[in-house]
Amino acid sequence: YQLANGLTVELAPDPSAAIVDARLVYPVGRAHADAAAPMVPDAAAWLLDFDAEGWIDNRAEYDRMMWALDVDTMQDARVDSTSTTFQVQGLANYADWHVWRLSALLDRGRYNQVALDALHRVARAIDDDEVKADARRATIERTFRERLFGAGHPLAAPARRLGPALAAVTAGQLTAWKRAHYRPRGATLIISGKFDEAAMRREVDELFAPWADAAPAPLPAMPPVQPAPTASWLAVEDRDALQVAATVAFPLAPTADRGPARQIAEAILDDQMRDVREQLGASYG
């Protein structure tokens, strides 16, 4: 169902589960970044966190927040080419607090300069060997992606994780990205696990319905993918590697409204691949 502010809600109660998993998926990712600041989408997701200063009105509210942050909720953020996912997960008996934590993170979360400075230090500490290795990986990834999407396609650009692109990220860029793109309209909230559906609907209405109905910033138009006309393969030799890795990829046109469905498909495929790995006695590395 959809809230009045445009947030789509998917509830999947499972009485047999011991946990609750809540994910907020935004249809924006690396492919939508400014070419001059390619790591802003990643840093905006990684560094968003709780900061009591500025939004805790009284001691009772502060104590409530500290208690809620201490119920062993696992928190994660992932960014891919066309989506950003914030996830919380924890024991089902604290289902309402796990969902509260997710809502509070996106509604009131901020960027801490100390954490940003730490990220900058890590980015600047990369030595020459790592820079060369990163450049080689980027070349390999670009070749791989060009086979899938076509040369020059936004999705063909390799993901840059460290180095100058991260060292140049500013707090102002992060705040601007959050304000522009982490909006309810167009986003999807997925809650699965053991919970009472009626109670969770009330919880969602209380926490997410008051969010302002502000349209996210328009995204750049995504051109159609132009994959290689036939199936192809790419072999990469790494004499220092201890393992052999295999990747199979299929080119799919990016669509903003298919993020949750693709995440479910990804989970199914991952489960099937686990069976393959176990049959082969392969590691999870």
Side-chain angles (χ1 to χ4, degrees):
Y1 64 99
Q2 192 172 65
L3 301 180
N5 58 19
L7 178 67
T8 297
V9 182
E10 303 272 359
L11 298 182
D14 179 3
S16 66
I19 65 170
V20 163
D21 182 297
R23 307 184 188 199
L24 193 52
V25 185
Y26 293 95
V28 61
R30 294 189 187 112
H32 305 117
D34 186 333
M39 289 308 297
V40 168
D42 292 84
W46 297 342
L47 298 182
L48 184 64
D49 208 346
F50 293 95
D51 189 347
E53 181 182 353
W55 63 273
I56 297 299
D57 297 328
N58 53 59
R59 180 70 190 188
E61 186 175 0
Y62 177 82
D63 291 341
R64 175 178 177 235
M65 185 190 78
M66 290 298 103
W67 180 88
L69 295 179
D70 197 36
V71 297
D72 294 329
T73 303
M74 293 185 292
Q75 180 178 316
D76 191 20
R78 296 188 302 279
V79 182
D80 63 21
S81 296
T82 56
S83 69
T84 298
T85 301
F86 293 91
Q87 177 185 14
V88 297
Q89 189 179 82
L91 292 174
N93 54 323
Y94 290 123
D96 53 345
W97 288 107
H98 302 317
V99 176
W100 173 87
R101 178 166 176 152
L102 181 63
S103 71
L105 174 68
L106 273 301
D107 188 32
R108 301 181 175 185
R110 308 198 318 176
Y111 297 102
N112 186 294
Q113 188 62 46
V114 174
L116 182 57
D117 291 342
L119 182 68
H120 288 165
R121 286 194 297 272
V122 170
R124 289 192 293 266
I126 302 174
D127 59 30
D128 290 341
D129 288 340
E130 290 185 57
V131 170
K132 292 177 182 177
D134 193 58
R136 181 172 183 269
R137 283 193 296 267
T139 300
I140 294 167
E141 185 180 355
R142 180 180 293 107
T143 303
F144 182 73
R145 287 171 170 262
E146 286 179 350
R147 300 275 186 91
L148 286 172
F149 305 114
H153 194 280
L155 297 178
R160 299 172 61 189
R161 296 189 176 279
L162 293 176
L166 272 179
V169 170
T170 68
Q173 288 175 320
L174 301 180
T175 301
W177 184 267
K178 177 179 183 289
R179 185 181 300 118
H181 300 294
Y182 297 167
R183 299 288 192 177
R185 185 159 296 280
T188 302
L189 173 66
I190 308 169
I191 305 175
S192 62
K194 186 178 181 180
F195 58 83
D196 178 80
E197 184 174 350
M200 186 57 71
R201 276 180 174 263
R202 291 193 296 271
E203 179 84 357
V204 168
D205 288 345
E206 178 183 346
L207 295 174
F208 295 92
W211 287 12
D213 180 9
L219 300 176
M222 193 69 64
V225 299
Q226 295 180 323
T230 60
S232 62
W233 61 273
L234 177 68
V236 179
E237 183 181 26
D238 184 351
R239 295 182 180 274
D240 297 325
L242 299 177
Q243 295 178 315
V244 172
T247 301
V248 179
F250 302 92
L252 297 177
T255 54
D257 61 338
R258 294 298 298 279
R262 293 191 181 192
Q263 285 198 352
I264 294 170
E266 180 183 350
I268 293 172
L269 288 171
D270 187 62
D271 187 60
Q272 301 234 353
M273 288 305 300
R274 183 171 63 250
D275 292 340
V276 174
R277 286 194 296 265
E278 291 173 352
Q279 290 171 14
L280 293 173
S283 76
Y284 284 79

